Amino acid sequence: MINVVLYRPEKPQNTGNIMRTCVAIHATLHIIGPLSFSIDSKDLKRVGMDYIDDLKMIYYPTYEDFAKKYHEQEIFYVTRYANKVYSGFSFADSSKDIFVMFGRESTGIPHDILREHPDHLLRIPMVPEARSLNLSNCVAIIVYEILRQQQFPNLATSEAIKGEDFLIKEKQKQ
């Protein structure tokens, strides 16, 4: 199972988008506080739409609370300070839990946390002049790489709601 970990996110709109992504792929969302917004805010509910009702989310008041619970878990950290690209890691084993931490929109993951885990730092390539990408986009890039390596377990790879041949049938009706 994929576990998306947000370290003190600052923007409810990004968090809402990430919630929606987590629901769409059956990932668990871990949010580390303290936060500058309410998890119950209308912004989160508007962006997350009705998907939020199906979200598996755990909130931790502090990083220490999270670390105490998962101190033995292998965690990957997304940062511009990494020397290895995310696609260079193997996530093919879908039988084990994968935890991926993303930092604050303004400051990322604290450097002392990153220094403790030099072999688990991943980067998303971009032009040298770019400082960062949008947080919800980063989450989507990484989790879909993990899912691609696992061959999208339990996810629909064709149209499941309207049927695989929906476009053909729709054209025939015209």
Side-chain angles (χ1 to χ4, degrees):
M1 169 178 278
I2 296 174
N3 293 269
V4 173
V5 183
L6 301 181
Y7 178 87
R8 299 187 61 198
E10 299 166 304
K11 297 185 178 181
Q13 297 83 354
N14 281 336
T15 304
N17 283 332
I18 293 164
M19 290 173 157
R20 193 170 175 178
T21 298
C22 287
V23 170
I25 63 170
H26 295 293
T28 298
L29 178 61
H30 303 260
I31 298 180
I32 299 170
L35 299 176
S36 59
F37 60 89
S38 167
I39 291 178
D40 297 325
S41 83
K42 69 178 181 177
D43 289 333
L44 284 179
K45 291 182 179 171
R46 183 171 40 83
V47 175
M49 298 170 49
D50 57 348
Y51 290 91
I52 289 179
D53 295 337
D54 297 325
L55 177 67
K56 183 174 180 191
M57 182 181 76
I58 305 168
Y59 176 78
Y60 308 86
T62 67
Y63 173 74
E64 291 72 26
D65 294 321
F66 172 81
K68 186 178 357 175
K69 184 169 183 177
Y70 296 105
H71 67 278
E72 292 185 19
Q73 182 65 50
E74 181 177 40
I75 301 171
F76 296 91
Y77 304 84
V78 180
T79 175
R80 69 187 197 152
Y81 303 112
N83 293 321
K84 191 170 180 181
V85 174
Y86 67 92
S87 57
F89 288 84
S90 175
F91 300 108
D93 184 358
S94 62
S95 69
K96 61 187 231 183
D97 283 345
I98 296 172
F99 283 73
V100 185
M101 184 181 291
F102 300 84
R104 303 186 85 185
E105 287 92 339
S106 64
T107 58
I109 300 169
H111 298 170
D112 57 328
I113 295 172
L114 298 175
R115 284 186 198 103
E116 292 174 13
H117 309 281
D119 295 334
H120 287 84
L121 304 182
L122 341 160
R123 78 176 286 116
I124 299 172
M126 60 187 100
V127 298
E129 302 80 26
R131 202 181 68 228
S132 65
L133 294 169
N134 174 276
L135 179 62
S136 62
N137 292 340
C138 291
V139 170
I141 289 167
I142 300 297
V143 298
Y144 271 89
E145 171 62 13
I146 294 168
L147 291 166
R148 183 194 67 78
Q149 288 186 25
Q150 296 176 356
Q151 300 183 17
F152 304 103
N154 304 312
L155 298 182
T157 55
S158 63
E159 173 53 47
I161 296 172
K162 294 186 177 185
E164 284 186 39
D165 56 355
F166 168 74
L167 291 176
I168 295 168
K169 286 181 180 178
E170 181 186 49
K171 174 117 174 110
Q172 290 171 348
K173 288 179 187 177
Q174 295 176 351

